[in-house]
Amino acid sequence: MKLWDKGFSIDKKIEQFTVGNDREIDIHIAKYDVQASLAHAIMLESIGILTSEELAQLKKELLSQSESIENGSFVIEDSFEDVHSKIEFELTKTLGDVGKKIHTARSRNDQVLVALQLYYKDNLKQINDKTKMFFDTLLGLAQTHKSQLIPGYTHLQVAMPSSFGLWFSAYAELLIDDVYVLNAVSKIVDQNPLGSAAGYGSSFPIDRDITTKELGFSTLKYNVVAAQLSRGKSERAIASALGGLCNTMSRFAMDICLYMSQNFGFIGFPDELTTGSSIMPHKKNPDVFELIRGKCNKIQALHTEMLLITNNLPSGYHRDFQLLKENIINAFEDVKDILDIFNYAIQQIIVKDIDLNDDKYKYLFTVDSINNLVVEGMPFRDAYQKIGSQVQDGTYQPDLGKEHSHIGSIHNLCLDKIRDKFPS
């Protein structure tokens, strides 16, 4: 059951190696292949390759396959090489010669390419939407806990006063940068490659504007060679964008693991969100955040993989491109899961009261003390030396009452401004 079947059998070891995990992975792009096949059929009817009756038959059967995909009954059996051969087989089994016409003026290359582009486009939108939900949650937490101070650190040493409001909204604003990149990548994949066939177009008078409109692409990838060359380029851009988002989440997850530890003790979570130890009954481990961190770090490595697979390939199609599909699709599915579980878990965070009079936080306010002296007229360098001497001789007494009022500081979080920045 192969689209390239020429009537002879291929060695079974070779077949298994070349097919790989396509059948399992292709479930994710099945509905997009159906969408693209329907758009292609509509275009073929418009140029006289199909009759209106044949189009109606194909449309009915494709919609039936779409329903089976949506309800989970669609299966790609081991006898099929991939989803594309499965769908064409079902069309031919039901419609006979009419089903055989669906592959006219297209290649499996652009068939795979357009299905992937549709999957990428749709899933980038889903990730954008889930990121917005996470963003809103963090800003809500920032508003709720804006008055609760925590120590800020540099080099993991106590540095200056911070707050839970500052911490939550910092990661919220970083998500905006990640969405800027996701939106740029969405524009890259929002170009219709269908009609490039095996990479050099077709002698049929196909109308690529029709499929572009039918599939909801904003534009075409006009040059057919460029369409094929986009395989790999799109995946590298996607991997970079997903990696940027995952970098933000992995750093946030690391903060959470750190702040949950007894040595910090800033936050906690309900027992049902943590795990225990097989020998230490007191343990409440932040496994969900450790796994978020690990999964996010794994996804950040994906760009290097995409780069190395495609780095020195000449123009035209090469089977190496098949290796891009599995891990990029898995990354999409993982990122959606990570955003869901992160958003779910962080809403249940327990923010603890922190005693900033504790001796270990004694020097948290030295900069504020210096600034107080400067406001009273002392040159900054002299004020720095004076407070530094007090620290050295053990006479320093902190002033906990200094307000930070400038834009983006502890007492002026600008949460509305940050909310307005999120791309619409």
Side-chain angles (χ1 to χ4, degrees):
M1 309 297 180
K2 305 174 185 67
L3 298 184
W4 50 269
D5 189 359
K6 295 186 285 289
F8 58 84
S9 297
I10 188 172
D11 186 293
K12 292 300 180 185
K13 284 184 177 291
I14 298 296
E15 180 179 5
Q16 181 56 44
F17 183 78
T18 55
V19 170
N21 295 327
D22 266 16
R23 284 183 288 266
E24 294 83 355
I25 293 299
D26 278 3
I27 288 294
H28 293 289
I29 62 171
K31 74 173 186 178
Y32 303 104
D33 189 73
V34 170
Q35 291 173 15
S37 293
L38 179 56
H40 186 67
I42 290 169
M43 184 277 296
L44 290 178
E45 189 267 344
S46 75
I47 63 170
I49 299 294
L50 295 175
T51 66
S52 57
E53 182 181 348
E54 288 171 333
L55 174 59
Q57 291 177 299
L58 285 166
K59 184 174 183 179
K60 180 180 178 182
E61 180 58 26
L62 285 167
L63 291 176
S64 175
Q65 291 197 40
S66 182
E67 288 176 8
S68 69
I69 292 167
E70 290 298 322
N71 65 32
S73 61
F74 183 85
V75 177
I76 307 172
E77 294 86 353
D78 289 348
S79 55
F80 296 100
E81 185 174 23
D82 53 28
V83 68
H84 316 290
S85 53
K86 162 71 175 180
I87 289 172
E88 184 170 325
F89 173 83
E90 293 297 333
L91 291 175
T92 302
K93 183 177 75 171
T94 305
L95 303 176
D97 287 346
V98 175
K100 295 177 181 179
K101 291 185 177 183
I102 193 65
H103 204 60
T104 305
R106 69 176 180 177
S107 163
R108 186 172 68 163
N109 292 339
D110 66 339
Q111 196 172 348
V112 173
L113 188 52
V114 71
L116 286 172
Q117 295 290 92
L118 290 168
Y119 170 87
Y120 297 155
K121 182 181 172 184
D122 187 15
N123 280 268
L124 284 166
K125 174 66 166 60
Q126 291 182 44
I127 286 173
N128 200 322
D129 291 343
K130 290 177 184 293
T131 303
K132 178 60 164 61
M133 292 175 63
F134 189 36
F135 169 85
D136 288 340
T137 295
L138 294 182
L139 283 191
L141 289 167
Q143 177 63 38
T144 300
H145 301 289
K146 64 182 180 181
S147 299
Q148 292 172 263
L149 295 184
I150 57 173
Y153 295 83
T154 62
H155 308 277
L156 275 181
Q157 308 293 306
V158 170
M160 290 180 65
S162 181
S163 70
F164 282 106
L166 205 61
W167 182 54
F168 286 125
S169 59
Y171 282 105
E173 191 164 6
L174 285 180
L175 291 173
I176 295 173
D177 299 335
D178 298 326
V179 171
Y180 288 153
V181 180
L182 288 169
N183 286 346
V185 174
S186 294
K187 196 166 185 178
I188 290 173
V189 301
D190 193 15
Q191 303 177 80
N192 181 22
L194 189 57
S196 58
Y200 299 97
S202 172
S203 58
F204 289 103
I206 59 175
D207 189 336
R208 297 183 67 205
D209 287 329
I210 289 178
T211 56
T212 300
K213 181 179 178 181
E214 289 290 332
L215 293 172
F217 285 107
S218 63
T219 188
L220 270 160
K221 201 73 170 180
Y222 289 98
N223 184 295
V224 291
V225 174
Q228 281 297 320
L229 286 170
S230 71
R231 190 94 180 263
K233 189 177 181 69
S234 295
E235 285 78 6
R236 291 194 302 273
I238 291 165
S240 180
L242 295 182
L245 174 60
C246 284
N247 178 268
T248 299
M249 292 193 290
S250 67
R251 295 179 71 183
F252 191 20
M254 178 61 212
D255 276 3
I256 291 169
C257 293
L258 203 63
Y259 290 176
M260 276 185 70
S261 71
Q262 289 88 344
N263 287 18
F264 286 81
F266 298 165
I267 58 174
F269 286 89
D271 289 350
E272 56 267 28
L273 266 67
T274 63
T275 60
S277 162
S278 63
I279 63 170
M280 294 174 284
H282 66 281
K283 294 297 290 296
K284 288 178 62 175
N285 299 324
D287 283 15
V288 66
F289 299 103
E290 292 173 350
L291 287 171
I292 287 171
R293 183 177 62 196
K295 285 174 178 284
C296 284
N297 290 341
K298 180 180 177 182
I299 291 167
Q300 288 180 76
L302 185 62
H303 179 262
T304 300
E305 177 185 314
M306 300 293 102
L307 180 66
L308 291 177
I309 289 173
T310 61
N311 193 35
N312 293 320
L313 294 180
S315 59
Y317 177 77
H318 309 277
R319 194 63 179 264
D320 311 53
F321 290 135
Q322 178 180 321
L323 303 178
L324 302 172
K325 184 166 58 174
E326 180 174 0
N327 284 348
I328 201 75
I329 288 176
N330 285 338
F332 269 112
E333 301 304 317
D334 281 347
V335 170
K336 289 186 292 184
D337 287 344
I338 290 166
L339 283 164
D340 283 341
I341 197 65
F342 213 150
N343 190 50
Y344 172 77
I346 200 67
Q347 291 179 57
Q348 301 177 65
I349 193 170
I350 299 166
V351 169
K352 298 183 179 180
D353 292 325
I354 301 165
D355 182 9
L356 295 182
N357 290 302
D358 190 299
D359 273 354
K360 63 176 170 285
Y361 304 132
K362 184 175 182 179
Y363 301 126
L364 192 63
F365 298 92
T366 56
V367 175
D368 288 347
S369 297
I370 292 169
N371 293 349
N372 285 337
L373 293 175
V374 171
V375 169
E376 292 169 2
M378 186 179 292
F380 175 82
R381 189 51 58 199
D382 292 343
Y384 178 90
Q385 294 293 336
K386 180 174 181 177
I387 298 300
S389 296
Q390 292 176 3
V391 169
Q392 291 298 318
D393 62 26
T395 62
Y396 173 73
Q397 293 297 318
D399 173 11
L400 279 64
K402 187 76 172 177
E403 285 216 349
H404 297 198
S405 59
H406 69 74
I407 289 173
S409 61
I410 300 171
H411 301 104
N412 188 7
L413 294 175
C414 300
L415 299 184
D416 289 343
K417 299 290 187 184
I418 294 172
R419 191 180 301 278
D420 290 343
K421 271 178 66 177
F422 197 97
S424 56

